[in-house]
Amino acid sequence: MDNQKPNQEPMTPSQAGQQILIVDDNPTNLKFLSTTLNHAGWEIAIATNGDMAIQQVKNNPPSLILLDIILPESDGLATYQKLKASPDSQDIPIIVTLLSETVAQVKSLSLEVVDYITKPFQLEELLVKVRVHLQVHYLTKNLEQKNQQLCATREQLQAAQKQMIAQEKLATIGALTAGVIHEVKNALNFVNNYAQYSVELSDELLEEVEQQSQKLETKAVDYMKENLNVLRENVVVINQQGQRADSIMQNMLMQARTDEHQFHVTDLNSLLDQAMRLVYQSRRAQDNCFNIKINTDYDDSIEPLELISAELSRAFINIIDNACYALLEKQKYYQAQKEHNISEFMPKLWLTTKNLGKIVEIRICDNGIGIAPEAQEKIFQPFYTTKPTGEGTGLGLPLTYEIIVEQHGGMLKLESELGVYTEFIIILFAVN
Ligand SMILES: Nc1ncnc2c1ncn2[C@@H]1O[C@H](COP(=O)(O)OP(=O)(O)OP(=O)(O)O)[C@@H](O)[C@H]1O
Ligand SMILES: [Mg+2]
């Protein structure tokens, strides 16, 4: 055993707080190892047999274990195997201390020990090996942590990539939809034109029958008149519904155009009005009892503005659709309370535009459920939604914010009172 004083090397930051567990039943060895290592700056724990060592590791896992293995009589080998088998301790580096004459024997067991130290101990060798293995262990842990972070980042990247692919698909569907809508619109054009023509033809035929009525049998005249009138009415309905389908297609076409990311001179009032109609039509298509009172007050003095119309229309649709949802929620509440004789609720939506000189102000207000002050801070955050799972993505308002603020350099504000109203105020700058 080397009795010289250990070198007083400065403690490294990682050394502070690191504990070494010494497992040895020989009091002289224990004393030397604990004094030396403690003097070098490490905290020391001692175990004089295997069970004690396992208990200590369980209670307070050390950074490194110095394990005495005297073959064949000591329980060091069994302790080693138990430590390596337990998930709590299998990662802790173990340096085996042994007699030089047993090294070959222990090596033949091919244990996963990080290193050996032979007795009698050499001070320098002991300190260097302990320091190196602690450092290696620390660096390995660090690397594992970095690796985990990298894996997490990779997962995030993959998720983002999936989202981009999904968006790309949507864009493709959008482009396809635009093509299909064009075709349907063409077909509808024929339907509408022929329907109009057929109405005129029915009128002419009715006139002709009227003129020829003297020459024909009264019964035959009545029969023709009656059927011509039915035919005319049918064609009028076909024409009305065809016009309606055409206006729905027109609105959808505006939405589906994905390549339209250019600023175009646009009539703001009609863009807002079309967005409102589209939301209303689609809500009605889902539920034909859907009924709200819509008040519009559009300022005619607003000059056409340079806007990305498809995008801004999407923003209006998001806000108006949210308003409709809030109105329906309040209506549901009132209906549930009906037996308590709560006064009637009339769902209302107000759309207002105002020319304020250099700026244009758009207000979209509903008397729905309102938004609590603490939720008002969150509603523009992606994925924040109060809708039941599967019904809302919580992306409507973040997208709306991006369109108005980022793309159009405008402003989006919110005023609301829980249970009373919600108003979104949009400011756009008129560029000359
Ligand atoms: N007019 C409103 N009245 C009451 N709450 C609203 C109103 N507008 C938005 N909110 C609240 O803001 C939340 C977020 O709205 P956002 O449009 O971002 O997502 P969403 O409507 O929940 O989902 P998605 O737009 O995908 O259907 C809504 O879930 C709702 O709680
Ligand atoms: Mg929404």
Side-chain angles (χ1 to χ4, degrees):
M1 201 178 292
D2 194 336
N3 276 334
Q4 54 183 283
K5 280 217 148 206
N7 283 349
Q8 301 262 330
E9 283 193 25
M11 242 196 284
T12 61
S14 57
Q15 205 162 323
Q18 281 185 330
Q19 193 195 62
I20 298 169
L21 173 65
I22 305 167
V23 190
D24 205 312
D25 59 356
N26 180 313
T28 320
N29 285 348
L30 274 179
K31 188 159 187 289
F32 172 76
L33 289 172
S34 56
T35 317
T36 309
L37 296 172
N38 189 245
H39 201 88
W42 286 292
E43 279 176 34
I44 302 299
I46 285 170
T48 51
N49 60 51
D51 288 344
M52 221 173 128
I54 286 162
Q55 199 53 44
Q56 294 232 29
V57 169
K58 212 170 167 187
N59 295 344
N60 188 13
S63 310
L64 182 135
I65 301 170
L66 278 176
L67 179 67
D68 171 49
I69 290 186
I70 302 174
L71 291 169
E73 69 270 23
S74 106
D75 69 345
L77 201 56
T79 309
Y80 167 83
Q81 274 154 351
K82 281 186 196 158
L83 287 170
K84 280 293 158 196
S86 159
D88 297 337
S89 52
Q90 60 191 188
D91 287 340
I92 302 172
I94 300 177
I95 299 180
V96 163
T97 60
L98 73 183
L99 292 167
S100 43
E101 49 273 30
T102 59
V103 170
Q105 222 182 326
V106 172
K107 274 190 176 169
S108 73
L109 297 171
S110 23
L111 306 175
E112 270 179 57
V113 291
V114 294
D115 214 338
Y116 305 88
I117 300 177
T118 53
K119 299 173 202 172
F121 299 120
Q122 297 298 313
L123 182 84
E124 280 305 322
E125 185 198 10
L126 173 72
L127 289 176
V128 166
K129 285 198 170 176
V130 166
R131 195 167 285 131
V132 164
H133 290 301
L134 276 171
Q135 191 70 13
V136 168
H137 182 63
Y138 168 77
L139 290 174
T140 312
K141 283 268 150 223
N142 213 328
L143 211 67
E144 272 172 17
Q145 225 175 12
K146 291 258 156 45
N147 208 15
Q148 274 172 3
Q149 283 169 357
L150 266 174
C151 284
T153 313
R154 197 186 58 183
E155 271 169 29
Q156 282 171 353
L157 269 171
Q158 280 171 342
Q161 199 182 15
K162 268 192 191 161
Q163 212 177 346
M164 276 169 68
I165 292 170
Q167 274 172 357
E168 194 52 44
K169 274 189 191 160
L170 272 181
T172 316
I173 292 169
L176 279 176
T177 314
V180 172
I181 293 170
H182 259 297
E183 289 306 306
V184 176
K185 261 179 76 63
N186 280 345
L188 273 174
N189 238 347
F190 278 100
V191 172
N192 288 331
N193 289 343
Y194 275 98
Q196 259 167 23
Y197 172 64
S198 302
V199 174
E200 286 161 21
L201 202 67
S202 308
D203 287 341
E204 279 172 24
L205 278 171
L206 273 168
E207 235 180 81
E208 189 61 28
V209 171
E210 193 65 53
Q211 279 170 14
Q212 305 287 332
S213 57
Q214 310 293 343
K215 300 178 198 158
L216 297 166
E217 266 185 49
T218 323
K219 218 171 157 191
V221 170
D222 289 346
Y223 176 79
M224 278 192 278
K225 272 187 178 173
E226 193 187 330
N227 282 306
L228 274 172
N229 273 320
V230 173
L231 198 69
R232 190 186 183 283
E233 274 163 30
N234 289 352
V235 185
V236 166
V237 173
I238 291 173
N239 192 227
Q240 279 169 352
Q241 293 305 313
Q243 304 272 9
R244 187 166 162 255
D246 190 63
S247 102
I248 294 172
M249 289 292 145
Q250 183 60 40
N251 281 338
M252 280 182 72
L253 190 61
M254 213 176 63
Q255 285 307 302
R257 273 188 201 135
T258 49
D259 53 338
E260 284 226 348
H261 285 281
Q262 307 279 332
F263 282 87
H264 290 295
V265 176
T266 312
D267 178 355
L268 181 80
N269 290 339
S270 60
L271 193 75
L272 180 64
D273 202 63
Q274 275 177 351
M276 177 267 286
R277 280 172 203 281
L278 194 67
V279 173
Y280 191 80
Q281 280 160 357
S282 89
R283 287 265 169 197
R284 274 297 273 235
Q286 287 163 38
D287 171 12
N288 58 12
C289 296
F290 175 77
N291 188 20
I292 59 172
K293 187 160 173 16
I294 301 171
N295 302 292
T296 56
D297 183 6
Y298 302 138
D299 188 338
D300 290 334
S301 74
I302 297 171
E303 296 282 329
L305 296 171
E306 288 274 348
L307 303 170
I308 310 173
S309 53
E311 293 287 291
L312 196 64
S313 164
R314 201 163 294 159
F316 290 153
I317 286 171
N318 283 336
I319 298 176
I320 298 170
D321 193 59
N322 282 345
C324 289
Y325 184 84
L327 291 170
L328 284 179
E329 285 298 291
K330 192 159 164 182
Q331 201 169 37
K332 267 194 237 161
Y333 172 79
Y334 269 76
Q335 273 160 3
Q337 303 291 318
K338 222 170 188 174
E339 69 235 41
H340 301 303
N341 262 341
I342 272 196
S343 59
E344 279 286 304
F345 166 62
M346 184 62 226
K348 284 185 196 156
L349 181 71
W350 290 266
L351 302 179
T352 321
T353 58
K354 243 188 226 163
N355 183 357
L356 298 174
K358 290 217 156 84
I359 61 171
V360 174
E361 186 192 73
I362 303 133
R363 285 176 180 259
I364 301 170
C365 182
D366 66 80
N367 63 342
I369 50 174
I371 307 172
E374 60 276 16
Q376 288 181 26
E377 294 161 18
K378 298 186 196 146
I379 59 168
F380 294 105
Q381 289 170 10
F383 305 112
Y384 175 83
T385 178
T386 53
K387 290 181 180 170
T389 320
E391 276 191 35
T393 60
L395 290 173
L397 283 179
L399 187 80
T400 301
Y401 187 89
E402 195 198 295
I403 292 170
I404 292 167
V405 180
E406 314 279 327
Q407 292 184 5
H408 287 85
M411 283 157 73
L412 178 60
K413 291 190 287 181
L414 161 74
E415 285 172 12
S416 182
E417 196 182 328
L418 192 61
V420 184
Y421 80 101
T422 299
E423 185 165 42
F424 283 88
I425 304 150
I426 301 157
I427 305 283
L428 293 176
F429 294 86
V431 190
N432 293 315

